[in-house]
């Protein structure tokens, strides 16, 4: 019996399915497992009636998808965006299932969202949407069933509204259901730095794998937001030299090395958190895109998707690309990169964020909180272990790290389904 492959008119879901089938075929995965893992376990659609500030009633559409719970509770963010659909949630939940699996944490994959435009909503309207949405998905969420987190246009405040609503409905505090909460309300120290620090750890390990030391290595960081700043700061702490950084205001290049702490203070104090106006001796201001083509050991794209593509990949001079952003190198970019460039893929390199969420959940379940040093030490150890798992698998099977990561991730979920059996 041949597998009937699912397709979707939603590009994101269709791509996620195609990638899964390709990896599954390459791995020789059992047909039954392919059938199981190409479908979400559970999809919930809810309507969210809300009284708007002007007294009218509007009904918003909301979704929560649990793609897999084979390894543990479904894990993944909730976004507020006008384009949110059930198919998009399913695609993102599928990617979360592989990401959590690869990260070696006891989570499945989930995702959710509300189709709304936060730019057109008052804070009070956002609170009413958040609370009604939380109440409608209440039967699904729980510390041992489904653990949502922030995503596009949601953050600590929304997580607190969700937590408070579920806690009131159940008449007991439920802090471990939502991660990404503020430190003052059952959040975790270290989460802000986690993704960037994890990217830097992958830089250190890939250099080690190539027989190089991170001390004295040179790096370029595109994007100086949450991921880029903490990646740059951690690299400098490790002894690397950051030659160039960039944000929407352009590129900032210094052959002697950017004073990353000074640049970090500059963006922290800038009213829009930008590098605009940043100065240091020997600094050259260049076009933002041009920093991608500078000579350096490592390039960390930490801004947007698709920045290295079929048109510009051949211009890259760095020997290692460690993807901090989601999807910065397109499939065409991968194919057009000079043959000696090694890419550490996004869902390995930027998984520090989800590992950090897992640490928050662990602390909430214990009701006992770690110091930032304990958190960092555990994070960096796990990230390094994950890097080597993928590195070794890729070498053993003679595939790229991107393909290897995908195969390692699918295998862990498939093994769990096989051991647990197919009933429910
Ligand atoms: P952010 O908004 O804090 O920072 C983005 C940075 O990129 C800003 O400095 C912005 O000015 C810069 N930027 C935007 N367009 C640019 C361009 N054309 N050239 C140069 N710089 C540009 O976002 P973030 O949280 O740091 O996320 C960055 C990427 O990492 C996204 O792809 C996100 O999905 C991914 N990611 C983030 C996390 C996390 O925990 N924050 C986790 C996993 C993946």
């Amino acid at each position: 019996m041949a597998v009937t492959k699912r397709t979707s008119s939603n590009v994101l879901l269709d791509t996620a399915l195609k990638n899964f089938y390709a990896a599954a075929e390459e791995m020789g995965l059992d047909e039954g497992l392919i059938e199981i893992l190409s479908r979400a376990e559970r999809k919930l659609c809810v309507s969210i009636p809300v009284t708007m500030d002007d007294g009218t009633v509007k009904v918003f559409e909301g979704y929560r998808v649990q793609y897999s719970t084979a390894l543990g509770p479904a894990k993944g963010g909730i976004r507020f965006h006008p384009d949110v659909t059930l198919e998009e949630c399913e695609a993102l939940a599928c990617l979360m299932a592989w990401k959590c699996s690869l990260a070696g944490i006891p989570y499945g994959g989930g995702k959710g969202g509300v189709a709304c435009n936060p730019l057109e909503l008052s804070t009070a309207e956002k609170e009413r949407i958040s609370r009604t949405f939380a109440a409608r998905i209440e039967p699904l969420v729980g510390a041992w069933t489904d653990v949502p987190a922030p995503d596009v246009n949601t953050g600590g405040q929304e997580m607190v509204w969700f937590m408070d609503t579920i806690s009131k409905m159940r008449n007991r505090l439920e802090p471990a259901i939502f991660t990404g909460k503020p430190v003052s309300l059952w959040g975790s120290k270290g989460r802000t730095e986690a993704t960037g620090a994890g990217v830097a750890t992958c830089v250190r390990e890939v250099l080690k794998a190539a027989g190089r030391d991170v001390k004295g290595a040179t790096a370029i960081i595109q994007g100086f937001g949450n991921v880029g700043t903490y990646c740059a700061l951690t690299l400098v702490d490790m002894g690397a030299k950051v030659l160039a950084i960039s944000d929407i205001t352009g590129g900032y290049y210094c052959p002697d090395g950017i004073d990353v702490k000074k640049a970090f203070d500059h963006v922290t104090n800038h009213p829009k958190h930008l590098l605009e106006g940043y100065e240091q001796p020997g600094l050259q201001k260049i076009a933002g895109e041009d920093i991608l083509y500078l000579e350096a050991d490592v390039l960390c794209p930490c801004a947007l998707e698709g920045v290295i593509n079929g048109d510009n990949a051949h211009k890259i001079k760095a020997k290692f690309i460690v993807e901090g952003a989601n999807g910065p190198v397109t499939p065409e970019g991968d194919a057009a990169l000079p043959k000696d460039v090694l890419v550490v893929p996004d869902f390995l390199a930027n998984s520090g964020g989800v590992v950090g969420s897992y640490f928050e959940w662990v602390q909430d379940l214990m009701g006992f909180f770690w110091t930032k040093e304990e958190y960092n030490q555990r994070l960096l150890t796990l990230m390094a272990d994950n890097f080597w798992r993928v590195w070794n698998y890729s070498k053993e099977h003679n595939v790229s790290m991107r393909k290897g990561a995908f195969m390692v991730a699918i295998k862990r979920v498939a093994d769990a389904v096989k051991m647990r059996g197919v009933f429910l």
Side-chain angles (χ1 to χ4, degrees), residues 180-191:
K181 303 178 298 299
V183 174
S184 58
L185 269 174
W186 296 76
S188 176
K189 285 183 191 139
R191 171 63 187 90

Side-chain angles (χ1 to χ4, degrees), residues 23 26-27 387-400 403-409 411:
E26 180 133 10
M27 294 160 69
F387 173 88
W388 285 101
R389 248 181 333 125
V390 176
W391 175 267
N392 292 334
Y393 187 96
S394 309
K395 290 283 151 221
E396 215 174 287
H397 293 83
N398 198 23
V399 291
S400 68
K403 198 172 245 178
F406 211 52
M407 289 160 78
V408 167
K411 185 171 183 316

